[in-house]
Every structure is written in C-alpha cells, then in structure tokens.
Amino acid sequence: MNDAVRQREALKDDIVRLASGDRSALESIYQATSAKLFGICLRILGNRDEAEDALQDVYVSLWRSAGRYDPERASPITWLATFARNRAIDRLRSGKVQRGAVPVDEAAEIEDTAPLADELVETGQRNARIHHCLRELEEKTQDSIRTAFFHGKTYAELAEAKGVPLGTMKSWVRRGLAKLKRCLEK
C-alpha cells in the first residue's frame, strides 16, 4: 500500500472516528488537510483573512456533519475540498468579500505541500483519466463542470453566463458528474 492510499485510508478512519464523537480525530484531520483546504479557500477568495475564516467554517461544518460522509461517493479529501469550495463561495455570495489577488508577501507564507515524485506520477495519471472522461461529456456540460470546479464559479454565476435558468444549470452539472463518475469507474 503506497503512502497516498495509506493517507486516504487514515483520513477515512479519522472522519469515522469524528462522526462517533472522538474529538481528537478533528486534530488529525486538520493536520492532514488544512494546507490544501486553505489553498482552495485562498484561491477562491483572494484574501488571506477571509480564507482563514472560511477554513474555520469548513471544520465547524465537518464537526457537525462527519456522520454524513459516504466513502462510496467520494474520497475524503474530495469531500472536504467540496466543503472548502462551498464555504468560500458562501462568503463571496454574502457580498462582504471581493475577490482579489494575494499580496506577494503573504503568498510566501503559504506552506509548501508539493507532492513527491511518485505521487506526481499517480496524480498525473488520475488527472489524465479525469480529463479524458470530461472530454466524453457534451461541450456545455464539460464547460460548466470545469468552470464550477476548477474556477470556483457558483451555479448562479454559470447560469447567468450561459443564459439558462439556475435549475437547468444544476441539472447539467449533476447529470455530467454522474456520467463522469461512471466513466472514471470503468
């Protein structure tokens, strides 16, 4: 079992422990995921203070809903990354936060979590598979999923940009993600 698989399994176990009320599991989860989740929040919000607040919201949400985690539906880091994305977007929706670039002096303080060479190979293969499966989708669905998940756009922003109702956009993305999942499971 390689390190990435071991880490994923440990994270799954920690979420299960947290769901059963083990408070120490939250610290383990935080240690394993905070740098990555902070990066997601910072990328979407562009403001270090707001990203830190969003990250705190992620762990509060996790504390409340760890019991809803289903390892059959998503890897633990994907599930947590979705929390981070959603909390950051919620902050943007509040209207109190404006997107902006991270000042260079603050960017230098962000922890370097660069993966090892074997992890890069594994990640590259996984990414190639994801992009292959994305190309199998209709262009409008492919574009919507890429924009939502890679650029942090909300469904409302996507619907407005494409000139379609919000429900239609949500359906496109939901059906597209289902097709993407089936393709990835092959």
Side-chain angles (χ1 to χ4, degrees):
M1 184 182 298
N2 69 28
D3 284 341
V5 172
R6 228 178 270 119
Q7 289 171 350
R8 185 171 39 250
E9 291 304 315
L11 195 50
K12 282 182 190 177
D13 292 344
D14 287 339
I15 293 173
V16 169
R17 285 181 29 231
L18 182 62
S20 66
D22 184 347
R23 293 176 182 235
S24 67
L26 187 58
E27 183 176 350
S28 297
I29 295 168
Y30 181 85
Q31 293 298 321
T33 63
S34 60
K36 180 176 185 71
L37 300 181
F38 177 74
I40 292 168
C41 294
L42 186 59
R43 180 173 172 217
I44 292 171
L45 293 166
N47 178 299
R48 187 175 186 83
D49 292 336
E50 290 296 334
E52 288 171 356
D53 288 345
L55 185 63
Q56 180 178 347
D57 292 345
V58 168
Y59 291 105
V60 169
S61 295
L62 173 62
W63 175 257
R64 292 180 182 147
S65 61
R68 291 190 305 206
Y69 173 63
D70 180 0
E72 298 299 317
R73 294 186 63 198
S75 74
I77 196 64
T78 300
W79 190 63
L80 292 169
T82 301
F83 270 47
R85 176 187 174 275
N86 292 344
R87 291 302 133 339
I89 289 173
D90 288 347
R91 286 190 156 304
L92 284 177
R93 284 182 185 150
S94 73
K96 297 177 185 171
V97 179
Q98 297 296 318
R99 290 185 198 219
V102 177
V104 172
D105 58 330
E106 287 184 22
E109 296 173 19
I110 297 173
E111 179 181 343
D112 180 12
T113 58
L116 300 173
D118 60 337
E119 292 170 344
L120 286 174
V121 170
E122 185 179 314
T123 300
Q125 291 171 341
R126 189 176 327 118
N127 288 345
R129 181 78 181 137
I130 289 169
H131 288 289
H132 165 77
C133 289
L134 272 171
R135 286 190 299 272
E136 299 290 316
L137 301 175
E138 291 180 45
E139 189 173 331
K140 67 182 179 188
T141 304
Q142 180 185 140
D143 181 56
S144 299
I145 289 173
R146 286 181 190 273
T147 306
F149 290 93
F150 298 150
H151 300 289
K153 296 292 185 185
T154 65
Y155 292 129
E157 290 171 330
L158 290 169
E160 184 179 322
K162 295 284 186 185
V164 298
L166 179 59
T168 300
M169 180 55 63
K170 287 181 178 180
S171 293
W172 286 357
V173 172
R174 185 175 54 251
R175 284 193 304 262
L177 289 174
K179 288 179 184 176
L180 189 61
K181 181 181 178 192
R182 283 192 300 273
C183 178
L184 291 170
E185 290 173 345
K186 290 182 186 177

